[in-house]
């Protein structure tokens, strides 16, 4: 019997895959762009593992596609009135029925998605930079600037957003553009408060002190180093606020202060169908359900983005 020990051969690793997937899975990034792409890839996979967030994203993309391709998907003219077909139940001719003027609800719902997403997206584009700049400036500069800006924020936050939007749109006048301005004026304070809280923790960091010692101005520090660190939190907050923006826009339309008839905005459609709720329920239930589903989808997506973009979950 031999005393020699027989070494077990070590299996060779599987051949590495090639292509874009292997580039994203590389253990060591080769450039800053490569590192950013790997981070985005990892965040996408984490988002995919969240079923509710993925469902919300799919619903939002479906509504967006319906809004973009509304002229191709619509079956009737959204402004054409036909009193002979008024208050018809859903059928093969009118998939979601008709309203009190004989207009096709399905076609109006598709075009109404355009108005709702237009209001929500434009409001988000307006409030995110305003709230981000005001919050980061107040948090970094401090002193009297912080006191003045935060007291202004407190005044805005003292009123419910819908009541504040009603006051602004009553002063500006009804209409979609004025509704966007009014909702924007009522929606930026929470973002400013969040950005300020993020800035108060970031400005004490060592790398901010090093940049300051190198002679960088406050404006450069805020725009170049603090704002990018706050963007992820602001994106989550804006996504969660989209549901409130949609509900506020629908509320203004319902009260006759937002989009005006015969516009197919969902709040306006809901307002016109409220008197038929007991006899012809679908006139109000369909746009109401659209508002509910869209708001829920943005909330689900916002919750998922909060888990993905939170650095503590990295």
């Amino acid at each position: 019997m031999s005393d020699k020990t027989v070494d077990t051969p070590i299996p060779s690793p599987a051949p590495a895959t090639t292509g874009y997937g292997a580039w994203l899975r590389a253990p060591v990034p080769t450039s800053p762009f490569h590192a950013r792409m790997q981070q985005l890839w990892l965040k996408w996979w984490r988002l995919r593992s969240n079923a509710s967030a993925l469902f919300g994203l799919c619903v939002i993309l479906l509504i967006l596609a319906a809004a973009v391709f509304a002229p191709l998907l619509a079956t009737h003219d959204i402004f054409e009135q036909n009193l002979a077909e008024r208050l018809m139940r859903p059928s093969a001719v009118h998939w979601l029925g008709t309203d009190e003027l004989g207009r096709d609800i399905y076609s109006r719902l598709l075009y109404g998605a355009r108005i709702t997403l237009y209001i929500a997206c434009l409001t988000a584009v307006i409030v995110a930079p305003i709230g981000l700049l005001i919050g980061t400036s107040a948090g970094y500069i401090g002193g009297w600037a912080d006191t003045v800006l935060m007291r202004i924020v407190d005044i805005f936050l003292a009123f419910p957003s819908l009541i504040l939007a009603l006051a602004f749109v009553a002063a500006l006048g009804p209409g979609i553009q004025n509704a966007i301005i009014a909702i924007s004026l009522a929606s930026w304070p929470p973002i400013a408060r969040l950005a300020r809280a993020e800035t108060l923790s970031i400005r004490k960091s060592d790398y901010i002190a090093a940049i300051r010692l190198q002679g960088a101005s406050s404006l450069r520090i805020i725009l170049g180093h603090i704002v990018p660190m706050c963007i992820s939190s602001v994106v989550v907050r804006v996504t969660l606020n989209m549901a409130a923006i949609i509900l506020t826009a629908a509320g203004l339309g319902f009260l006759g202060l937002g989009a005006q008839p015969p516009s197919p905005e969902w709040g306006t459609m809901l307002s016109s169908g409220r008197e038929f709720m007991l006899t012809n329920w679908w006139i109000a239930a369909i746009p109401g359900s659209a508002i509910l589903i869209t708001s829920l989808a943005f909330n689900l997506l916002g919750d998922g983005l909060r888990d993905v973009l939170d650095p503590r979950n990295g």
Side-chain angles (χ1 to χ4, degrees), residues 134 138 142-155 188:
I134 292 177
W144 64 268
D146 183 23
T147 302
V148 171
L149 291 175
M150 287 303 102
R151 296 299 77 76
I152 295 175
V153 169
D154 290 339
I155 293 173
W188 69 266

Side-chain angles (χ1 to χ4, degrees), residues 194-227:
L194 174 64
R196 176 183 178 271
E198 293 278 341
T199 304
L200 289 176
S201 60
I202 295 173
R203 74 174 183 177
K204 300 178 182 178
S205 303
D206 294 337
Y207 79 95
I208 295 294
I211 296 168
R212 192 184 302 115
L213 289 175
Q214 292 177 357
S217 64
S218 298
L219 181 62
R220 182 175 180 181
I221 293 174
I222 292 172
L223 296 180
H225 301 279
I226 295 181
V227 167

Side-chain angles (χ1 to χ4, degrees), residues 14-15 32 39 69 79 83 99 108 113 156 169 191 201 210 253 268 272 278 289 295:
Q39 290 178 355
F69 298 104
F79 300 115
L83 297 180
D99 60 9
R108 290 176 62 81
F156 277 84
V169 80
I191 299 174
S201 60
T268 306
S272 64
L278 297 179
S289 300
S295 302

Side-chain angles (χ1 to χ4, degrees), residues 152-165 167-168 186-187 189-190:
I152 295 175
V153 169
D154 290 339
I155 293 173
F156 277 84
L157 292 177
F159 300 93
S161 58
L162 179 58
I163 302 301
L164 198 59
F168 284 125
S187 301

Side-chain angles (χ1 to χ4, degrees), residues 283-309:
I283 301 178
I286 290 173
S289 300
I291 296 171
L292 171 64
I293 293 172
T294 306
S295 302
L296 178 62
F298 275 109
N299 274 332
L300 294 176
L301 178 60
D303 287 337
L305 289 177
R306 179 173 53 192
D307 296 337
V308 169
L309 298 178

